[in-house]
Amino acid sequence: MSTAMGYLELAERIAREAGEMLLAKRPARPEVLATKSSPTDVVTALDRASEELIRARIKEARPDDAVLGEEGGATGDGRVRWIVDPIDGTVNFLYGLPEWAVSIAVEVEGEVVAGVVNVVPRGEVFTAVRGGGAWLGGERLRCNTGVPLEQALIATGFGYGPGRRAVQAEVLAQVVPRVRDIRRGGSAASDLCAVAAGRVDGYYERGPQYWDYAAGGLVATEAGARVGGLNGRPAGPDLTVCAAPGLFEELHDLLVPLDPERDA
Ligand code: LIP
């Protein structure tokens, strides 16, 4: 069980089990347990229960591996590391909107080799193995290509802090007139899979954390998209941009002079 495909099989099995648990246990209106970076950045009991289940299953199967999880932080120091978002799109989960996902990526020596994004309410499980393509069920995914910026449907997201949001709104005001339209789904993992599936043409966001984009980023890359940051930097919390080559550069060049990282 040491190939990327082996990691993917385990990750998919765990992400499906967590998804089933969340669907079965989700009350009509989940209770907010705590807030994190701002009063709107919430944690429910089921974020924690989902991460506990995922960590327990990883530990049973691979006791020496490290884990980085949104709720539980970093544990262990193995050469294999699991990157876990137990519910990406927690606000959607809270409100009963159908756009939240369990996201699990597997890194070997710092490189993501497998990823699964289970968009639970839609029953869609996106998977990817490095070099092995991106898949939704039995269908191989390919991102849209040859779309010019002014025809592009672009997904984005907002952070939880008011200062960051004010800058994001200013940047967005300059982006909207230049593209077909904007979508704000509420889950970065799902947005990246939407690029992979050709449901949007591109995505950009300031602030996504590694657990938000590790698995979805591999799905998008394996579907032919480019995933990166500004000025040759890798994707990251500063800025993550994703689109087919060509559109990536157009979107990147639109964003750079708008200085979307200026709230830092
Ligand atoms: C969310 C992201 C979303 C972003 C939110 C938040 P969470 O993750 O996936 O795209 O706009 O600010 O970070 O908090 O639901 O795991």
Side-chain angles (χ1 to χ4, degrees):
M1 224 295 293
S2 57
T3 63
M5 194 52 93
Y7 294 130
L8 179 67
E9 279 168 19
L10 180 58
E12 183 175 346
R13 204 162 61 235
I14 297 172
R16 284 182 183 275
E17 187 184 344
E20 279 161 23
M21 182 279 288
L22 288 166
L23 272 189
K25 294 207 168 155
R26 186 188 173 281
R29 190 70 195 237
E31 192 191 340
V32 173
L33 264 195
T35 58
K36 297 189 279 187
S37 59
S38 88
T40 53
D41 184 4
V42 297
V43 187
T44 71
L46 287 171
D47 287 83
R48 291 186 183 162
S50 175
E51 185 160 324
E52 276 163 24
L53 184 152
I54 293 166
R55 282 177 180 270
R57 295 293 177 265
I58 295 168
K59 196 164 186 182
E60 281 159 24
R62 301 203 38 103
D64 297 332
D65 290 357
V67 178
L68 173 68
E70 176 170 18
E71 309 307 336
T75 52
D77 61 358
R79 61 183 275 279
V80 177
R81 187 166 73 140
W82 297 67
I83 315 299
V84 175
D85 193 337
I87 303 179
D88 185 51
T90 303
V91 173
N92 287 344
F93 180 76
L94 190 65
Y95 279 78
L97 288 165
E99 194 77 24
W100 51 269
V102 176
S103 174
I104 303 178
V106 188
E107 253 185 7
V108 178
E109 284 163 4
E111 182 182 62
V112 177
V113 298
V116 52
V117 177
N118 179 3
V119 186
V120 181
R122 296 207 308 259
E124 291 188 329
V125 180
F126 295 85
T127 60
V129 163
R130 185 163 298 281
W135 300 82
L136 174 56
E139 186 198 346
R140 186 156 188 178
L141 301 176
R142 302 260 179 227
C143 69
N144 295 337
T145 54
V147 181
L149 184 65
E150 63 274 14
Q151 292 293 320
L153 186 60
I154 302 294
T156 192
F158 306 117
Y160 290 110
R164 171 158 297 177
R165 283 189 174 181
V167 173
Q168 285 173 320
E170 284 169 25
V171 170
L172 188 63
Q174 301 300 312
V175 174
V176 188
R178 302 286 308 278
V179 298
R180 179 189 293 272
D181 208 341
I182 290 290
R183 293 290 179 269
R184 197 295 193 242
S187 159
S190 174
D191 286 344
L192 288 159
C193 293
V195 176
R199 295 174 182 171
V200 295
D201 300 301
Y203 159 81
Y204 78 92
E205 182 166 355
R206 171 147 172 80
Q209 298 298 313
Y210 193 35
W211 45 77
D212 295 324
Y213 65 82
L218 182 65
V219 172
T221 304
E222 286 295 325
R226 186 171 163 194
V227 182
L230 294 188
N231 302 311
R233 281 181 275 142
D238 287 347
L239 204 81
T240 292
V241 183
C242 173
L247 179 59
F248 179 98
E249 289 72 21
E250 279 198 271
L251 185 55
H252 171 276
D253 293 354
L254 172 64
L255 289 167
V256 168
L258 302 176
D259 194 8
E261 301 173 352
R262 67 181 181 274
D263 66 302

